[in-house]
Structure formats: structure tokens, C-alpha cells
Amino acid sequence: MTTGEIVEVAEDFAQDAHLFAEMLRGGGPVRRVRLPPRGLPAYVVTGFAEARALLSDPRLRKNSQGIREVFEAKLPPEALQNGLGQDLSWHMLNSDPPDHTRLRKLVNKAFTARTVARLRPRVEEITAELLDALAGQERTDLVASFAAPLPITVICELLGVREEDRAEFSGWSKTLLSAAVQPEQIQAAAASMFAYLTGLIAQKRAEPAEDLLSDLVHASDDGDSLSEPELVSMAFLLLVAGHETTVNLIANGVLALLREPEQLARLRAEPELLPGAVEEFLRFDGPIHLATLRFTAEPVEVAGVTIPAGEFVLVSLLGANRDAERYPEPDKLDITRAAGGHLAFGHGIHYCVGAPLARLEAEIAIGGLLERFPDLALDAKPDELVYRTSSLVHGLEVLPVRL
């Protein structure tokens, strides 16, 4: 069957993303919606089984040209002016096989498990430096002082971004992922990011260093390599995704613990539970809300609903991870839960390439924070916390804590 009812989504739906997902799921695991701020029509999937299947369904495509065509068919021209354009879109997250296969293979040559494992001492060192800087303070915004600078420092060092450029880069990233800024601000940030990355790639080509971006510039596979647009877009993807996800993972995980004193006390008493706890943080309050856009290349039937060809499909990773049919008592934080198999990093060919790094950073960061500050407490009422205005990232603007 098809469904004619369209749910008009409120402007502030990101402020309680879990309530939004629960509301949609009450009418079934697949719902038609119209999303702010442009009134984009789409199908949102909140059921775990349906989400997992669609994330690996080849009938759902992600190539940037196809997405642009669906946008043009769904929205008036004036609503299309706040996209990134093609300059930053030629990366593997916006591609389908065989292009995706080629791009991912080249990236994997420079982004290996061994590379991530070698980063542990440096992540521990950066964490210790940030915690040292907090020592003696009574209060802090944990996002600005800890959750954000750690992954930004790590990914920028990994890719070879100069320290003096990181604050500006972080500002561009936040603008590009926000739904609360004007189109001209997004276009200006995209242009600045493109110009900066183009120059950085030229530098790495002329003077290669021991960093991931130099490896990508010089990567080859059977004579293949990344084109200039692909290099710029891939650097953009790795830099933005390489820190945005982890910022939110750390902050959301700490908030979850501070709101559940019994779970916090148990983790302090049994720090060996930390790797499993990170998986539960990812399931319980993950860093991504609605996965990046997919569109149907042909009609797709999901849970009795036929989604026609040429429609956008958005998978609610937060909603799927709190589906009671997959996880009993899904709204309860349980650091001993077998949370493996969650969808916080996606599923299928687009599974997050940086997932091992995000896990490593979160484990070291949260473990170090809890060890250093035994009296850590939330310094705001839960209903005072503000989430970023975004359908993609699920993260706090600030996290006020008492140290």
C-alpha cells in the first residue's frame, strides 16, 4: 500500500529527537514527512529491522547528481540555494558502486586499522593535556573545553591541518551542518572550505608529509587515483565527519552518565566496562540523527508501505536504536547491555570508515574524564540544554558541568 498522510514536522524537532522518532514510530516504522526549513518531502524510517535493511539496499542511491535531480523535482528553485554545490560533494558518502567501491578502496589504503591503533598514545596525550587545562576550574562547558578540541586535534593532526587553521575550519564545519543559518552563510563557508582544502592539497602534493592527506594525494590502486575534485571532497568528508561525530559521542555519553548516577557509579567502580559502555552510548543517544540522504531508484516496499521511485528516504539512526523490538527497555541506559549491532555508524557499504577512531577517542576521553574528576556533575537542568539545529548531527550546543 502507499500512505497519503504527511506529517508536518515542527521547526524545533531536533530539540527532542527521541520524542520525534517515538511519535513517528507510533504510526508505523515508515512515515511520510515534510521537513523544515524548506518543506522537503521524504520518508522517515524509525524501525530497526527496516532501517538496517534499507541502509544496505542497492535500490536506494546516494550519488550527488541523482540527489540534486530529486531536490529539483521536489522543491522550488529558491529553496535550492543553500546546498554545498558540487565542489564538496564528490566523496564516497555521495556515491554509489562502482564509484563508491573505487573511492572507498583508495581511502582504505590510507585509513587502516593499524593507523588508528598507532594513534592511541597521542589520543591519550591530548586527553591528558585537555584535562590538565581543566584542573582547578570549578565549572566549564565540556563541549568547548573537552569534547570538541580532542577529536578536532586528532583528525587535523591525522590529515595534516596546521594548528593555527583549526579554529577557522571548525567554524566552517559547524555552519555547514546547521539548519539555523542563512543560505548565503552556508555558501560562504563552503567556498572558504573549498579554497582552503584546495591549497592544502597543493601543499601536500608539493611537499608530502607523514599524514593521511599526503597519503590520499599519492594513493593509487592499479594505476587509479583520486581526481582533484575527489581529493578536495574526500578531505572535506574526513575532516568534518572525523570530528563532528566524536564531539557528539563524547558529550552525549557524558550527559547520559550524569543523568543516571547508578550507571555512572558502576562505570567508575568497573572501568573495564568502558568499551561496552561506549557501544551503549552510541545506541542510547548516538551522534547522528537522520542518516544522510538516499533516494529510491525504483519503487521499494517497506513494512507494507510502497515508496515510489524518485523519493527521498531518511533513516532515523536514533529511532532505530531505540526500537523496542530490537532492544528491550530501549529508553533505559544500561552500560552492561549487549548493544552490539546498533546502527549509530550506519550499515552496509557506507558504514562509517572512522568508526574505530571514534570508539578509541570516546573510550579514552570519557575514561580519563571520570578518573580525573570524581565529583563531575551536570550544571544545568536537563530541560535547559539546547541541541544543535540540525537533522543530521545530534549534539549539544553546550554541556555545562561542575568539576
Side-chain angles (χ1 to χ4, degrees):
M1 70 173 183
T2 57
T3 177
E5 177 191 5
I6 298 182
V7 178
E8 299 288 344
V9 179
E11 289 278 349
D12 63 349
F13 78 103
Q15 295 309 311
D16 198 333
H18 292 291
L19 183 63
F20 167 71
E22 183 180 342
M23 178 272 294
L24 289 184
R25 190 165 44 242
V30 182
R31 302 291 301 277
R32 290 183 73 194
V33 305
R34 199 182 309 278
L35 290 167
R38 292 177 287 177
L40 180 70
Y43 288 77
V44 174
V45 181
T46 55
F48 182 91
E50 294 80 8
R52 191 175 189 275
L54 288 176
L55 288 171
S56 59
D57 192 325
R59 296 174 296 177
L60 268 63
R61 306 287 172 79
K62 294 182 99 292
N63 68 83
S64 54
Q65 180 58 39
I67 286 175
R68 178 74 186 182
E69 291 171 0
V70 177
F71 264 123
E72 291 173 345
K74 299 292 182 184
L75 296 175
E78 61 270 17
L80 300 173
Q81 299 307 308
N82 62 340
L84 300 183
Q86 295 299 311
D87 289 344
L88 296 173
S89 299
W90 300 106
H91 52 70
M92 60 189 179
L93 196 56
N94 287 346
S95 62
D96 305 308
D99 288 337
H100 174 271
T101 308
R102 179 180 67 86
L103 293 172
R104 179 108 182 191
K105 192 173 183 180
L106 285 167
V107 171
N108 284 347
K109 290 174 73 71
F111 207 110
T112 65
R114 182 177 298 178
T115 301
V116 172
R118 288 203 308 264
L119 290 173
R120 177 176 283 274
R122 181 58 181 143
V123 174
E124 292 173 340
E125 183 179 19
I126 297 167
T127 299
E129 290 171 357
L130 292 169
L131 293 173
D132 287 344
L134 291 175
Q137 297 185 33
E138 185 178 346
R139 291 176 166 84
T140 190
D141 166 19
L142 205 64
V143 172
S145 64
F146 185 65
L150 171 61
I152 288 172
T153 302
V154 172
I155 196 65
C156 285
E157 287 187 0
L158 186 60
L159 279 144
V161 175
R162 296 180 297 269
E163 185 173 357
E164 59 268 26
D165 298 336
R166 293 170 192 171
E168 193 171 33
F169 156 75
S170 182
W172 295 331
S173 174
K174 192 167 185 178
T175 297
L176 293 173
L177 293 178
S178 175
V181 299
Q182 296 302 311
E184 55 269 23
Q185 293 175 280
I186 292 178
Q187 291 166 2
S192 296
M193 182 80 84
F194 178 80
Y196 174 76
L197 292 175
T198 300
L200 187 61
I201 286 167
Q203 176 192 335
K204 301 299 181 185
R205 180 172 284 116
E207 301 174 7
E210 293 293 324
D211 57 59
L212 176 55
L213 191 52
S214 294
D215 290 345
L216 287 175
V217 168
H218 297 278
S220 64
D221 187 77
D222 298 329
D224 196 4
S225 62
L226 294 168
S227 68
E228 189 72 11
E230 289 170 342
L231 271 171
V232 173
S233 296
M234 195 66 73
F236 165 71
L237 173 65
L238 293 174
L239 279 163
V240 173
H243 85 272
E244 287 283 356
T245 299
T246 312
V247 172
N248 299 332
L249 169 55
I250 295 170
N252 294 356
V254 172
L255 175 62
L257 286 172
L258 295 180
R259 296 181 68 175
E260 296 290 342
E262 291 183 3
Q263 295 291 304
L264 175 57
R266 180 157 188 187
L267 188 56
R268 287 190 190 280
E270 302 177 62
E272 66 273 12
L273 294 176
L274 194 51
V278 169
E279 298 308 308
E280 174 67 347
F281 301 148
L282 285 161
R283 182 209 67 82
F284 178 76
D285 200 25
I288 300 296
H289 182 185
L290 301 174
T292 49
L293 278 174
R294 289 163 166 81
F295 66 92
T296 49
E298 59 185 87
V300 177
E301 184 173 330
V302 188
V305 174
T306 299
I307 305 176
E311 295 286 345
F312 281 130
V313 176
L314 288 161
V315 175
S316 173
L317 303 182
L318 294 182
N321 285 333
R322 288 205 187 183
D323 184 344
E325 293 191 13
R326 174 62 178 84
Y327 295 103
E329 296 186 279
D331 297 328
K332 177 183 177 182
L333 179 72
D334 180 0
I335 61 170
T336 65
R337 184 196 301 268
H342 62 73
L343 300 178
F345 289 122
H347 177 67
I349 64 170
H350 292 287
Y351 184 82
C352 177
V353 71
L357 179 57
R359 286 183 166 105
L360 176 73
E361 290 176 312
E363 181 182 334
I364 293 171
I366 295 174
L369 182 72
L370 298 185
E371 182 180 5
R372 183 71 69 93
F373 298 106
D375 298 321
L376 185 71
L378 186 62
D379 196 30
K381 295 178 181 178
D383 60 4
E384 294 174 343
L385 298 172
V386 176
Y387 285 83
R388 293 169 61 180
T389 303
S390 172
S391 62
L392 177 63
V393 294
H394 174 61
L396 295 158
E397 289 282 359
V398 298
L399 178 55
V401 297
R402 294 190 305 276
L403 298 171

